[in-house]
Amino acid sequence: MNKTIGILGAGQLARMLALAAHELGVKTICYDANDITSAAAVTQTMQGRFEDEKGLLDWANRCDVITYETENIPLAATDILAGKGIEVYPSRRALAMMQNRNLEKTFCRQLGIQTAEFFIVHNEEELREAVSLLGYPCVLKTTTQGYDGKGQYRLNDETEVSALSLFWDREYILEQWLEHDGECSLLSVRDHAGHIKHYPLTYNQHEQGMLAYSRAPYPDCAMQKKANDIAERIVQHFSYVGVLAIEFFMVGEELRINEMAPRVHNSFHWTLEGANTSQFANHIRALLHLPLGDCEAIGTSHLFNCIGQMPACERILSYSGVYYHDYGKMARPGRKLGHVTWCDFNHPGDTEIATVLRSEINNIYN
Ligand code: ATP
Ligand code: MG
């Protein structure tokens, strides 16, 4: 297909999008402020700041459609593009809401979708008042720009509040720490014509605020239906185009939204081998008016993130049915460098290899 997709950002998500596009004969060009990027090894990239109007337009003029791999991009960048009639998917409206935890939770409330209790705070006085209303434990987060648990402070008692040294040069959100029975996520995709498909619900485990392990499908039909219903209302609201990820807390039989991401999502990397169509391929299809692919899982998949260091490729590949993904990034504690997926097509429920793999992957967080 003779099309070019522009991707804002050139990290590993852009890299995997580029590889999926390549299979369809679709070109990609990434735009990123960094000179060394994960995507550069597999696709063309242009270096430039998101605020640089000329650089942005030079890049965008070479593309047929624009998308992004991160919600942490200035809205001004999408406005510059919109000003020239260049469309960005998912839409600016969805992006604006999902890049700000305050707007996101307020939106959920308006739709009657439950979240953790929260207050917006701008200084220490407001923080102390909010803490007195929510109680401990609670968690303070920046309303924008967070990822992988960065910019978050879990507060267990008064001494931890006093120990905070913040500049208060930005807005924060204080959230009640929600006691939950587990976390899961849903990835949905909607195309220009309004067709919607959902992937199986994925069960997630975090370590130090970062996703460490995912398993799919999460075999609970009632939960899946609830999650699908929520996603459907959200994508309809925005006449959304592309993939949408929703992270949930499971509280008893109920789902509470933690956050949303208008992009491909780490917890769905297992779809590369464990689903009929990967999340990356389906996002590309949605953007290009192509028929959406089947989202069914093939067996059970276990996904392990490799954080801080990569495990030895030789060891991981000695297990059958295991896939090794190295994003080609410089190792640094707390940095996502790759992932390993074990697809169990034959013995669903047999977790022995998952246990062994877990011991092979020694993440370094700090
Ligand atoms: P990511 O990029 O991995 O999504 P993030 O920086 O956006 O991370 P969150 O999703 O807000 O961060 O939080 C990361 C994890 O911390 C959550 O998945 C959950 O395990 C825990 N967490 C965050 N907020 C809460 C909360 N209010 N109650 C309980 N657990 C929480
Ligand atoms: Mg999250």
Side-chain angles (χ1 to χ4, degrees):
M1 205 184 188
N2 189 21
K3 292 273 182 196
T4 302
I5 298 179
I7 306 173
L8 285 162
Q12 67 266 19
L13 299 181
R15 174 180 170 122
M16 289 182 270
L17 280 168
L19 291 171
H22 180 71
E23 287 189 359
L24 294 170
V26 172
K27 273 207 277 185
T28 48
I29 312 177
C30 296
Y31 186 86
D32 197 298
N34 295 314
D35 56 344
I36 299 170
T37 62
S38 175
V42 307
T43 184
Q44 209 179 328
T45 56
M46 280 176 67
Q47 191 186 357
R49 291 180 310 113
F50 293 148
E51 295 80 6
D52 171 7
E53 181 163 349
K54 186 177 175 305
L56 206 56
L57 289 175
D58 281 350
W59 161 75
N61 284 329
R62 299 164 61 187
C63 307
D64 296 296
V65 57
I66 305 283
T67 189
Y68 43 89
E69 64 146 14
T70 168
E71 57 277 27
N72 294 329
I73 48 172
L75 291 174
T78 64
D79 293 337
I80 291 170
L81 299 171
K84 301 286 177 196
I86 302 166
E87 297 202 61
V88 178
Y89 298 103
S91 70
R92 180 197 196 279
R93 218 158 59 90
L95 172 66
M97 184 272 274
M98 292 178 202
Q99 70 175 204
N100 182 309
R101 295 183 195 274
N102 180 17
L103 301 181
E104 189 171 55
K105 286 197 168 54
T106 304
F107 169 84
C108 288
R109 292 206 162 165
Q110 282 161 0
L111 255 65
I113 303 168
Q114 291 192 309
T115 66
E117 294 296 321
F118 69 96
F119 290 97
I120 300 303
V121 295
H122 302 89
N123 52 50
E124 194 171 332
E125 194 186 339
E126 288 178 8
L127 171 65
R128 287 190 181 273
E129 187 175 347
V131 169
S132 73
L133 293 166
L134 289 181
Y136 297 107
C138 49
V139 54
L140 186 69
K141 305 178 183 179
T142 54
T143 49
T144 58
Q145 298 291 324
Y147 71 98
D148 288 348
K150 295 182 173 54
Q152 302 197 5
Y153 309 88
R154 188 176 147 143
L155 302 170
N156 295 299
D157 53 40
E158 205 281 325
T159 54
E160 290 185 354
V161 176
S162 298
L164 283 173
S165 61
L166 300 174
F167 291 116
W168 293 109
D169 53 349
R170 55 191 304 178
E171 187 178 73
Y172 287 83
I173 182 170
L174 186 76
E175 293 178 18
Q176 153 204 41
W177 188 263
L178 205 76
E179 294 306 332
H180 50 81
D181 302 302
E183 293 184 64
C184 64
S185 50
L186 180 72
L187 194 105
S188 306
V189 57
R190 183 181 180 278
D191 68 12
H192 291 272
H195 301 113
I196 300 169
K197 288 191 186 240
H198 308 284
Y199 281 90
L201 212 52
T202 295
Y203 170 78
N204 299 323
Q205 283 177 354
H206 292 77
E207 285 170 12
Q208 312 213 11
M210 288 181 81
L211 183 70
Y213 169 74
S214 295
R215 184 174 62 242
Y218 182 70
D220 182 327
C221 296
M223 282 286 192
Q224 178 87 50
K225 186 175 178 321
K226 281 180 191 169
N228 291 359
D229 289 347
I230 290 172
E232 229 140 284
R233 287 164 63 197
I234 296 169
V235 296
Q236 301 289 23
H237 178 91
F238 289 105
S239 297
Y240 198 91
V241 173
V243 294
L244 164 71
I246 311 179
E247 298 174 15
F248 295 102
F249 296 117
M250 297 185 278
V251 182
E253 300 297 300
E254 297 305 318
L255 289 172
R256 306 262 160 88
I257 286 192
N258 170 25
E259 60 172 349
M260 299 176 237
R263 55 168 166 81
V264 287
H265 194 266
N266 189 173
S267 62
F268 284 84
H269 291 353
W270 63 268
T271 60
L272 280 167
E273 296 92 4
N276 283 312
T277 317
S278 79
Q279 60 166 342
F280 306 100
N282 255 337
H283 187 60
I284 305 285
R285 289 182 185 213
L287 295 178
L288 296 181
H289 298 258
L290 294 168
L292 296 180
D294 190 354
C295 297
E296 303 286 292
I298 317 161
T300 302
S301 293
H302 302 255
L303 167 84
F304 300 86
N305 269 341
C306 305
I307 297 163
Q309 70 177 356
M310 284 303 289
C313 188
E314 296 78 6
R315 286 202 59 82
I316 297 298
L317 293 182
S318 68
Y319 302 97
S320 79
V322 176
Y323 302 87
Y324 185 87
H325 293 262
D326 184 336
Y327 308 148
K329 291 161 68 173
M330 291 271 285
R332 204 168 54 220
R335 194 170 198 212
K336 285 181 188 167
L337 303 177
H339 72 269
V340 167
T341 309
W342 172 45
C343 295
D344 186 358
F345 301 137
N346 301 317
H347 311 101
D350 174 2
T351 53
E352 202 183 319
I353 295 187
T355 310
V356 174
L357 284 173
R358 201 181 278 259
S359 68
E360 295 275 4
I361 296 166
N362 297 303
N363 288 340
I364 303 172
Y365 289 96
N366 37 50

